Amino acid sequence: MKNPFRLPWHRPAGHEALRETKAASGFIAIAHEGRAHWTGRSYVALAREGFMRNPVAHRAVRLISEAAANVPLLAYEGTQERSDHPVLALLARPNGRMGGHDFLETLYGHLLLSGNAYVDAAEIGGAVRELHLLRPDRIRILEGRDGWPEAYEYRVGSLVRRITAGEEGLLHLRLFHPLDDHLGFPPLAAAQMALDLSNAAATWNKALLDNSARPSGALVYQPKEGGNLSADQYDRLKTELDEGYSGPMRAGRPLLLEGGLDWKAMGLSPKDMDFVEAKNGAARDIALAFGVPPMLIGIPGDNTYANYQEANRAFYRLTVLPMIFRTATALSGWLSGRFGETVKLVPDLDQVTGLTGERSEVWARMKEADFLTDEEKRQAVGY
């Protein structure tokens, strides 16, 4: 019995899409079923097809994670800044394998590709000594009777480790997901169709170049005395085409045709084969899902910002800083319980190069505000 809920792109394993037909008129055609294939939304699938195969997704993830990791964090106890707080020392060197920048860059990368990031703390003598990131695809959430996470199961090969949830357990950061109570939604999943379109266009163009940059054609059998190819003649012709004229090493080789055979090239107009615009449109959708202005990635068209500086400022204000504040707030609450004292982590906006022009404008306005005292001016600009 057929599954009524099976979607068109759900094809059983081993099913061949290639369909060969022989028409009564002597026309030989080789056609493919027009069914779409979509990348899965798992962390492994998005990481492999997006970050590791698609240059736009790769650059967008690197751009956001590196920019966010470069913004230093400040520690406050109440309203007093503590430059010597042990939390800052821990974040500067989370563990023996990673520095502070590498740690935060990987954390933001997990959030962008998975929608989830997991931080584990290693304690020695009751004090937190190291912080470690756990790969999202190795984590399984164990729910309690009330439906809330009770513990996390971390699996590496045959090794399984159970970690408790809550303030004393694993820190789970996640992006908003409208249909899941426990897991986050990755931005790249929203651009899944654009990602597959971009990768498919690149694969098509590569295959076209391997075929001497020419589309396929058809062999037409029209003998003077009429009739069709026999089964043996058809199989022999198909074998000769596969072995003698397929692949990049045989591109451009002329066909040797016997009597009654004629080659008809199937060409498409540049308008029909405008893969450049299709790739640029898909690239813009991928950049949109991540919140990166296309101008910063070098995508032509739809540059809604007047200049590069304005696009860079919008990138920091609308994409980078919200992710930093989200992460800093989660780390503050989790580490406060670990250290037994309230600590608040905030980004040092004075060190954000993308906001230099904006900061200069604020200082200029404060300088001209004669009705404010020096102390009030310092408070207004964040000092």
Side-chain angles (χ1 to χ4, degrees):
M1 179 179 178
K2 292 184 178 180
N3 184 358
F5 299 101
R6 183 175 297 280
L7 297 178
W9 52 83
H10 289 169
R11 178 176 292 123
H15 179 77
E16 294 294 335
L18 189 64
R19 183 176 70 250
E20 303 173 7
T21 59
K22 286 197 296 182
S25 62
F27 180 76
I28 304 173
I30 300 178
H32 290 267
E33 295 182 2
R35 293 188 177 184
H37 298 266
W38 304 115
T39 300
R41 293 186 175 182
S42 66
Y43 171 78
V44 175
L46 292 178
R48 180 177 293 114
E49 298 298 324
F51 187 79
M52 300 176 67
R53 286 192 58 191
N54 189 276
V56 178
H58 178 92
R59 183 54 185 155
V61 172
R62 289 282 304 275
L63 201 64
I64 298 173
S65 59
E66 290 178 357
N70 276 327
V71 178
L73 296 176
L74 303 176
Y76 284 85
E77 286 186 357
T79 59
Q80 184 67 31
E81 181 184 350
R82 284 276 309 275
S83 59
D84 58 344
H85 201 284
V87 167
L88 296 180
L90 179 64
L91 292 176
R93 188 65 176 178
N95 54 70
R97 298 179 54 192
M98 307 176 73
H101 184 278
D102 297 334
F103 179 85
L104 291 176
E105 182 181 339
T106 305
L107 185 150
Y108 294 130
H110 285 173
L111 278 175
L112 294 171
L113 292 175
S114 170
N116 303 274
Y118 302 92
V119 185
D120 188 23
E123 294 186 356
I124 300 178
V128 179
R129 300 298 184 184
E130 291 185 347
L131 298 177
H132 295 272
L133 293 171
L134 305 182
R135 254 176 50 180
D137 59 314
R138 295 174 174 173
I139 293 287
R140 186 168 71 95
I141 298 179
L142 304 178
E143 297 181 357
R145 293 184 178 180
D146 56 358
W148 293 103
E150 187 178 58
Y152 296 90
E153 185 179 271
Y154 184 65
R155 181 182 297 272
V156 181
S158 59
L159 178 63
V160 179
R161 179 185 169 207
R162 185 185 176 96
I163 309 173
T164 60
E167 192 175 87
E168 298 298 325
L170 195 67
L171 172 62
H172 179 194
L173 299 96
R174 69 187 190 100
L175 301 181
F176 171 69
H177 195 313
L179 301 178
D180 198 300
D181 295 331
H182 308 312
L183 296 177
F185 186 79
L188 190 56
Q192 180 185 14
M193 293 185 180
L195 173 65
D196 290 338
L197 177 61
S198 179
N199 289 343
T203 302
W204 175 273
N205 288 334
K206 176 61 169 59
L208 197 62
L209 289 174
D210 289 345
N211 194 33
S212 190
R214 295 181 304 186
S216 61
L219 281 176
V220 181
Y221 180 57
Q222 295 177 341
K224 295 180 180 179
E225 63 277 6
N228 296 323
L229 290 173
S230 65
D232 293 339
Q233 290 175 324
Y234 176 82
D235 293 336
R236 182 173 64 86
L237 180 59
K238 181 176 178 296
T239 302
E240 290 180 358
L241 286 176
D242 291 339
E243 296 179 354
Y245 303 98
S246 300
M249 300 301 296
R250 305 179 184 92
R253 179 180 295 182
L255 283 172
L256 299 177
L257 303 178
E258 300 180 11
L261 287 174
D262 186 22
W263 173 257
K264 299 294 184 181
M266 295 180 180
L268 298 176
S269 67
K271 181 67 176 178
D272 297 329
M273 296 183 63
D274 194 4
F275 288 107
V276 174
E277 181 56 34
K279 282 177 63 67
N280 289 338
R284 285 191 288 270
D285 288 343
I286 295 173
L288 176 65
F290 281 110
V292 178
M295 182 185 296
L296 300 185
I297 308 182
I299 303 173
D302 293 348
N303 291 330
T304 57
Y305 298 97
N307 52 52
Y308 189 89
Q309 183 178 1
E310 182 182 349
N312 194 41
R313 181 168 63 178
F315 168 65
Y316 271 94
R317 276 296 181 190
L318 301 178
T319 302
V320 176
L321 290 183
M323 179 165 288
I324 296 177
F325 277 110
R326 170 195 295 270
T327 304
T329 301
L331 286 173
S332 299
W334 186 62
L335 291 175
S336 293
R338 291 283 186 169
F339 281 83
E341 56 181 295
T342 302
V343 58
K344 182 180 179 181
L345 296 172
V346 296
D348 187 0
L349 300 184
D350 290 340
Q351 304 299 321
V352 180
T353 57
L355 302 180
T356 302
E358 185 176 306
R359 187 166 58 252
S360 299
E361 295 175 2
V362 174
W363 287 352
R365 290 199 302 268
M366 288 299 102
K367 183 179 180 180
E368 299 298 329
D370 298 333
F371 58 90
L372 295 177
T373 64
D374 290 343
E375 182 65 23
E376 290 172 336
K377 292 179 181 180
R378 290 176 59 85
Q379 293 180 0
V381 297
Y383 285 93

